[in-house]
Amino acid sequence: MTDLRRPRRLVPGDVVAVVAPAGPLKAERLELGTKYLRDWGLEVEVMPSALATDERLPYLAGSDEARAADFRAAWLDPRFAGVFCGRGGYGVQRMLPLLDLDELAPVEKVFVGFSDITALHEALNARGLVTVHGPMAAAVEQLGAEPGRDRLRALLFEPESVTDLLAPAGARTVVGGTAEGRLLGGNLALLAASLGTPTYSRPRGVVVLEDVSEHGYRVDRLLTQLLRSGWFEEVTGVVVGDFSESDDGGLVADVVAERLQPLGIPMVQGAAIGHEDLNLAVPLGLPVRLDASAGTLTPLKPAFS
């Protein structure tokens, strides 16, 4: 297993970069969101393509080349103690072939994002780096939700103070028991889309799964694809987060339980992780202990040094 690498925690006065490796940002939302980061004593610099929009493909924040260049520049620049993604959307997988992950991997710094950013988390976690699945720089609603904002700050600045990653919202027991291993995963659709690509990495440990705008039959299809591929073979436990904006009522929860309960591994459902206003930041790549019977997820060491 790749050695665990925990970047230095943030301190007031640190400079962080904001990148948009997927969808374009709205300037007004970015301004509101980064105010929270500045209130923590951080200096924030926005990379050039973050506010761009690709002319032909307006769902992308500038060209693949520009987004990749900005991410590389932010990651390799020693002035930046951390890199925050502005938003998700779609586009990270398009720029991954333009990044030299062997060049980026030795650098240790805080990295924050979720949703489409799962594709970057997967690649960095596979190289041992601890990253943060949590609210992004233009996620105004999530940063405006005090429990989620407080969690993100605590995880980044005072990681030893975070002792239960599921608190304060909690989660429901689906299959009881305990499991240990590195916390991995993220957005279900992105994890399934990674299968067969050069950045695919089969998880070994506890996985967290979330998604948005995926109805019951599509969640079934995605989970079935992962099951058939052997993706869950070394998974020790499952944390199911929010599956937002589905018009199926409780069907998605039933589908997830029906597909994953037969694995017989500890599992909780309903964790406040994902696309709702309350999105609790969690450290991907970090060793954790899931007590599914008690509904707790405990870091086995602070996320950052």
Side-chain angles (χ1 to χ4, degrees):
M1 180 178 291
T2 305
D3 290 340
L4 181 69
R5 297 188 297 124
R6 297 178 299 144
R8 173 181 69 79
R9 70 186 63 196
L10 296 182
V11 297
D14 277 340
V15 184
V16 297
V18 174
V19 296
L25 305 179
K26 293 183 178 179
E28 60 274 17
R29 290 180 61 85
L30 183 61
E31 181 60 32
L32 288 171
T34 54
K35 181 181 183 301
Y36 292 110
L37 307 186
R38 294 187 174 97
D39 288 345
W40 296 343
L42 298 174
E43 296 182 31
V44 181
E45 292 190 19
V46 179
M47 299 303 286
S49 71
L51 293 170
T53 301
D54 186 86
E55 292 184 4
R56 293 184 61 194
L57 305 174
Y59 50 82
L60 299 173
S63 68
D64 297 337
E65 291 77 11
R67 300 195 319 282
D70 271 3
F71 183 83
R72 177 182 181 275
W75 195 259
L76 296 179
D77 191 331
R79 293 185 308 116
F80 298 128
V83 175
F84 283 73
C85 296
R87 61 160 291 192
Y90 169 73
V92 171
Q93 287 191 322
R94 291 177 56 107
M95 75 166 205
L96 275 175
L98 303 176
L99 295 175
D100 182 347
L101 292 169
D102 291 333
E103 175 191 37
L104 303 180
V107 178
E108 298 180 5
K109 61 181 60 180
V110 167
F111 178 63
V112 182
F114 79 106
S115 195
D116 197 62
I117 312 305
T118 294
L120 277 165
H121 284 305
E122 183 179 40
L124 295 172
N125 295 156
R127 288 159 176 80
L129 193 70
V130 174
T131 61
V132 176
H133 181 288
M136 295 180 274
V140 177
E141 294 81 8
Q142 292 187 345
L143 290 171
E146 188 172 347
R149 183 174 72 250
D150 290 348
R151 159 62 66 79
L152 180 60
R153 186 193 182 284
L155 196 62
L156 297 177
F157 288 81
E158 303 167 357
E160 63 281 340
S161 70
V162 182
T163 57
D164 180 6
L165 296 166
L166 301 182
R172 305 183 302 277
T173 303
V174 180
V175 178
T178 61
E180 292 189 2
R182 291 184 181 178
L183 185 64
L184 300 165
N187 182 268
L188 174 61
L190 267 295
L191 294 167
S194 175
L195 294 175
T197 71
T199 52
Y200 162 64
S201 177
R202 178 177 293 169
R204 299 175 63 187
V206 179
V207 297
V208 58
L209 302 172
E210 64 82 30
D211 218 317
V212 62
S213 300
E214 298 287 359
H215 302 319
Y217 76 94
R218 295 206 293 257
V219 172
D220 188 327
R221 182 174 61 206
L222 293 166
L223 288 173
T224 300
Q225 183 180 9
L226 292 180
L227 287 164
R228 294 183 68 214
S229 75
W231 192 87
F232 284 97
E233 286 180 358
E234 297 182 85
V235 171
T236 59
V238 180
V239 175
V240 181
D242 289 314
F243 278 72
S244 306
E245 298 180 17
S246 169
D247 61 7
D248 292 341
L251 180 59
V252 168
D254 291 342
V255 167
V256 173
E258 189 274 340
R259 290 278 71 197
L260 299 186
Q261 269 185 292
L263 295 174
I265 57 179
M267 175 177 166
V268 295
Q269 199 166 31
I273 300 169
H275 286 74
E276 298 294 328
D277 288 353
L278 177 56
N279 178 19
L280 296 175
V282 296
L284 296 181
L286 189 75
V288 298
R289 183 176 190 269
L290 170 65
D291 186 333
S293 301
T296 60
L297 184 65
T298 307
L300 296 182
K301 57 180 63 183
F304 301 111
S305 63

